[in-house]
Amino acid sequence: GNSVTQMQGQVTLSEEEFLFINCTYSTTGYPTLFWYVQYPGEGPQLLLKVTTANNKGSSRGFEATYDKGTTSFHLQKASVQESDSAVYYCVLGDQPGNTGKLIFGLGTTLQVQP
Amino acid sequence: DTTVKQNPRYKLARVGKPVNLICSQTMNHDTMYWYQKKPNQAPKLLLFYYDKILNREADTFEKFQSSRPNNSFCSLYIGSAGLEYSAMYLCASSSRGRRGTEVFFGKGTRLTVV
């Protein structure tokens, strides 16, 4: 079936350090891949999405490239800020069809220290 | 206004008692979802309404009920709460039909069953 794997439970960085969060997925067909971010006290919100293989999604300095060969969709940011502290979810759009159903990874909690 | 509102934010319930959680959206979205989030687990889809049609996930089919009296409102009902229902419940909405459509989440209701 469809699934998403995120390995890191918690990442602690200092401001201006590089962020890299692993994500791999398993599905058939042509998936839509998302990164959602959840700030404290808020619901998850869309950070970026990619619908075409080998394409890159980007938003607010974050980037993720959909690699069909390695079935990966890693998230990265060159220089994090304290305001980036949040939980980051790698998410797979369920298939078939466009129901909007989402399959979440476990999430990675990012703590950025000033 | 791209908000999904959930009431209440916190709910305390007794074992064996019913629980009713409320969600509303003003984006005229045709689809509304309920997700359950437990500590150290990924958010998990419980059910969703596409227009007036209820779709429940196979493994939660008998545990949760829902109603959608109009396009804007959706409720999640637990007939007899057990300790295992303690979790964060996230309501979400989207417009179905477009691949990769954004799903908007509420802030959640934290249910504690004692």
Side-chain angles (χ1 to χ4, degrees):
Chain A
N2 299 326
S3 66
V4 174
T5 302
Q6 262 180 276
M7 294 305 294
Q8 306 108 301
Q10 179 132 3
V11 175
T12 301
L13 297 173
S14 298
E15 279 195 322
E16 299 184 6
E17 285 194 307
F18 173 70
L19 171 68
F20 185 87
I21 301 177
N22 279 298
C23 174
T24 56
Y25 65 89
S26 175
T27 188
T28 58
Y30 299 92
T32 301
L33 294 159
F34 309 85
W35 279 96
Y36 273 75
V37 58
Q38 185 172 18
Y39 298 103
E42 302 291 323
Q45 58 184 261
L46 181 65
L47 178 60
L48 55 85
K49 72 176 182 185
V50 176
T51 57
T52 305
N54 302 322
N55 272 11
K56 180 185 294 184
S58 62
S59 172
R60 306 181 229 169
F62 292 88
E63 292 183 343
T65 300
Y66 163 15
D67 188 326
K68 191 178 179 185
T70 60
T71 62
S72 65
F73 190 54
H74 308 313
L75 181 70
Q76 55 187 28
K77 186 177 186 184
S79 176
V80 296
Q81 304 300 313
E82 192 177 358
S83 57
D84 293 327
S85 296
V87 180
Y88 292 81
Y89 291 102
C90 185
V91 181
L92 173 65
D94 200 18
Q95 300 188 97
N98 298 320
T99 62
K101 289 169 59 175
L102 303 176
I103 298 170
F104 282 77
L106 284 172
T108 298
T109 301
L110 172 64
Q111 182 80 32
V112 181
Q113 298 172 339
Chain B
D1 183 10
T2 57
T3 56
V4 176
K5 291 186 169 57
Q6 292 189 243
N7 286 299
R9 292 295 306 278
Y10 300 90
K11 176 83 174 176
L12 183 67
R14 301 288 182 187
V15 170
K17 298 297 185 182
V19 176
N20 198 43
L21 306 180
I22 301 296
C23 176
S24 65
Q25 53 91 11
T26 56
M27 295 171 278
N28 200 32
H29 284 160
D30 51 26
T31 308
M32 294 185 75
Y33 314 82
W34 284 98
Y35 286 80
Q36 180 190 62
K37 171 71 172 76
K38 292 185 175 182
N40 302 314
Q41 295 183 22
K44 176 186 172 184
L45 180 68
L46 299 175
L47 52 86
F48 68 96
Y49 264 100
Y50 170 57
D51 197 13
K52 295 185 186 348
I53 302 170
L54 175 61
N55 299 269
R56 288 187 282 183
E57 296 296 287
D59 57 347
T60 57
F61 192 84
E62 296 181 349
K63 295 183 178 180
F64 298 92
Q65 299 288 334
S66 183
S67 67
R68 190 177 187 188
N70 55 55
N71 178 268
S72 300
F73 288 87
C74 189
S75 67
L76 183 69
Y77 180 76
I78 301 166
S80 176
L83 297 176
E84 70 276 16
Y85 287 89
S86 292
M88 176 70 83
Y89 289 86
L90 296 166
C91 177
S93 70
S94 73
S95 288
R96 187 179 175 178
R98 284 175 42 201
R99 189 166 172 234
T101 189
E102 182 174 355
V103 178
F104 295 85
F105 284 84
K107 295 183 180 183
T109 294
R110 184 171 297 281
L111 173 66
T112 303
V113 182
V114 296

